[in-house]
Amino acid sequence: MKKSLFATLLMGASSIFATDENGWATTYESMSAFESVRDRSEYVKPIINNLGNVLNSNWYVSASVPQSFTFEAGLPLSIVSIGNDDKKYTRSATDFFGQSYDIELPTIFGDHRDMSPESEDPEYFIYGSKTLNGLGVFTYPYLQFGAGFYHARAVLRMMYLPAISELKKFSLIGFGLQYSFGHLFQYRLPPAAQPLDVSVVFGYNSSSIGYQPDDYEGQLDLDVSTTNFSVVIGYKPVSFFEVMMSLGYQSAEMKSSGKLTCVAKEFGVPTAEYGATINPDLTVKGNNGFRFGLEVAFQLGKAFHPVVGFDYAGKSSFTTNVLYFRQQFGEDPSPADIAKQKGSTQEAPSKSTSTPSEPATESESWSGSENPEEDWNTNTDAEMMNDTPAEEQASDSEDF
């Protein structure tokens, strides 16, 4: 009784029939949830919950950014399983007697109504979309490129798809930054701890999605933005294997806009929907808050660099970054080499403006020519002149 009463109040000005002949939500009821006046943000929130988790993944492939130049490229994928928590939500209500109670309602990913005669499913509930209910997992493909130099790394990701069936627009642009600090402290650690590295990562995505359901003119536009700020700790026991853990904060937001109008076609739609107009203007926030990740990276050969892992941000997701390539051009000094360099720099004596005099060595005191025999003759003549008696030198002077 309470469920039926609440459902009737919830429908308000909605169409007479909330489900089609198979118990799925009509296109009108699914799309009108993007109008803020409907107050059904929880109905579509699983979209941004899943999309936010997918886009906030794969911003790093290692905790270390080398000093020498590195280049990377690949096709990262993050997969989110659609579970029961995506298919229903709880909402509080108050009946005519002022009593509060909680009621469980389907989301856009939810199940259809049981149409059997003995079913107790309320007739006026807005049930799940047949299209989205059929999804077992949620993912979002994109291309990613990155380059690093002197322990700083920049990342660019993008994707664009032409109009396909009901999907009229699909684009993504994102950029990320990373800086690692291991080179500042690794040489001070004992050898067993030197493979440890720490870095900070920032990532931002902007995505646009355009959707036009069958039998409707116009378009539903969804503008999605996400941010991720994390600290990544990595340990590389061997050169080709690294274990990483990340802790951070993420945000995700979805803004809807556009206009949809139901138009009749040859085989038409339910008359209750014909001529209906939908003006999407709803803004919904996703899983904003703490995120945690565990990843394992491999360096196979010079370039192949697959990464697999697990992330949690309100719900679980899995990173399957197996088509990724990363190559380093050059070789960085080891922590032991850095320690030797730092030690020699600290032990080197400083230059002084004055130095104490030291006795000259035999080689330094010799000031003669390069011909020792000539120098000996010259010195001998000088000594003979100096040995002349003073009386003889005086008489010679007087005779002159």
Side-chain angles (χ1 to χ4, degrees):
M1 177 64 181
K2 285 185 176 181
K3 287 186 176 181
S4 299
L5 175 61
F6 179 72
T8 303
L9 296 175
L10 183 66
M11 290 295 297
S14 299
S15 61
I16 297 175
F17 298 101
T19 63
D20 61 16
E21 64 276 9
N22 296 315
W24 296 107
T26 62
T27 301
Y28 177 81
E29 292 302 341
S30 295
M31 295 296 100
S32 63
F34 290 96
E35 292 182 313
S36 58
V37 295
R38 301 284 178 179
D39 191 23
R40 286 197 279 136
S41 60
E42 294 292 333
Y43 181 77
V44 297
K45 188 175 181 180
I47 297 176
I48 186 61
N49 282 348
N50 289 283
L51 192 54
N53 282 20
V54 167
L55 293 180
N56 277 316
S57 299
N58 291 313
W59 279 119
Y60 58 91
V61 294
S62 174
S64 300
V65 181
Q67 177 178 312
S68 52
F69 179 75
T70 58
F71 178 78
E72 60 191 67
L75 186 69
L77 285 175
S78 181
I79 298 176
V80 182
S81 177
I82 297 176
N84 291 330
D85 57 333
D86 295 306
K87 296 183 177 183
K88 56 189 176 182
Y89 68 98
T90 302
R91 185 166 180 177
S92 298
T94 304
D95 61 19
F96 287 117
F97 303 100
Q99 294 181 343
S100 298
Y101 60 95
D102 292 335
I103 188 168
E104 197 172 81
L105 300 171
T107 70
I108 198 169
F109 288 94
D111 296 322
H112 63 84
R113 178 193 171 207
D114 184 358
M115 302 296 286
S116 62
E118 63 274 10
S119 171
E120 296 182 358
D121 288 351
E123 180 180 356
Y124 296 104
F125 267 26
I126 301 172
Y127 289 89
S129 166
K130 182 179 180 180
T131 302
L132 294 181
N133 179 264
L135 296 177
V137 296
F138 195 97
T139 189
Y140 196 112
Y142 47 83
L143 295 171
Q144 182 166 299
F145 304 91
F149 191 54
Y150 268 87
H151 311 290
R153 172 175 170 263
V155 183
L156 176 67
R157 59 172 55 165
M158 62 187 71
M159 179 56 73
Y160 172 80
L161 292 176
I164 304 174
S165 184
E166 297 180 355
L167 185 65
K168 302 302 179 182
K169 180 175 61 174
F170 185 96
S171 63
L172 166 72
I173 186 73
F175 69 90
L177 299 172
Q178 180 179 4
Y179 187 83
S180 65
F181 298 91
H183 62 284
L184 300 177
F185 62 81
Q186 287 172 332
Y187 69 95
R188 298 178 181 270
L189 301 177
Q194 288 179 354
L196 181 70
D197 207 340
V198 179
S199 64
V200 292
V201 177
F202 171 79
Y204 171 80
N205 292 291
S206 177
S207 179
S208 296
I209 303 171
Y211 178 72
Q212 183 187 49
D214 288 339
D215 305 316
Y216 275 78
E217 287 182 348
Q219 185 170 286
L220 166 67
D221 293 317
L222 299 177
D223 295 319
V224 176
S225 60
T226 69
T227 57
N228 177 4
F229 181 83
S230 297
V231 176
V232 183
I233 303 172
Y235 186 77
K236 188 183 294 185
V238 290
S239 60
F240 60 87
F241 177 77
E242 182 178 7
V243 180
M244 294 170 285
M245 180 182 72
S246 65
L247 299 170
Y249 176 87
Q250 76 166 33
S251 67
E253 185 178 80
M254 177 177 65
K255 294 182 178 181
S256 59
S257 60
K259 184 176 181 178
L260 292 169
T261 303
C262 183
V263 295
K265 292 186 178 180
E266 184 176 355
F267 295 100
V269 294
T271 56
E273 289 192 40
Y274 174 69
T277 300
I278 302 171
N279 297 287
D281 63 344
L282 183 69
T283 297
V284 185
K285 296 184 181 298
N287 290 325
N288 296 352
F290 170 80
R291 68 172 287 112
F292 166 79
L294 284 174
E295 282 81 22
V296 177
F298 302 88
Q299 183 70 39
L300 305 178
K302 292 185 177 180
F304 189 41
H305 191 88
V307 182
V308 294
F310 165 83
D311 291 333
Y312 180 83
K315 62 176 306 182
S316 302
S317 61
F318 300 91
T319 55
T320 56
N321 193 356
V322 295
L323 295 176
Y324 211 79
F325 301 88
R326 178 175 183 257
Q327 186 165 2
Q328 179 178 340
F329 299 89
E331 186 174 348
D332 286 7
S334 67
D337 294 335
I338 297 176
K340 291 179 181 179
Q341 182 182 0
K342 295 283 187 181
S344 61
T345 302
Q346 295 173 358
E347 294 173 4
S350 59
K351 293 184 178 180
S352 176
T353 55
S354 61
T355 56
S357 59
E358 297 180 359
T361 62
E362 182 178 355
S363 59
E364 291 175 341
S365 62
W366 176 259
S367 59
S369 66
E370 296 181 356
N371 191 336
E373 183 177 352
E374 181 181 346
D375 290 337
W376 184 85
N377 293 332
T378 303
N379 293 335
T380 302
D381 293 340
E383 292 174 357
M384 292 177 64
M385 291 179 62
N386 291 334
D387 291 341
T388 305
E391 295 83 358
E392 294 182 4
Q393 292 184 15
S395 64
D396 289 341
S397 175
E398 290 175 356
D399 293 342
F400 181 76

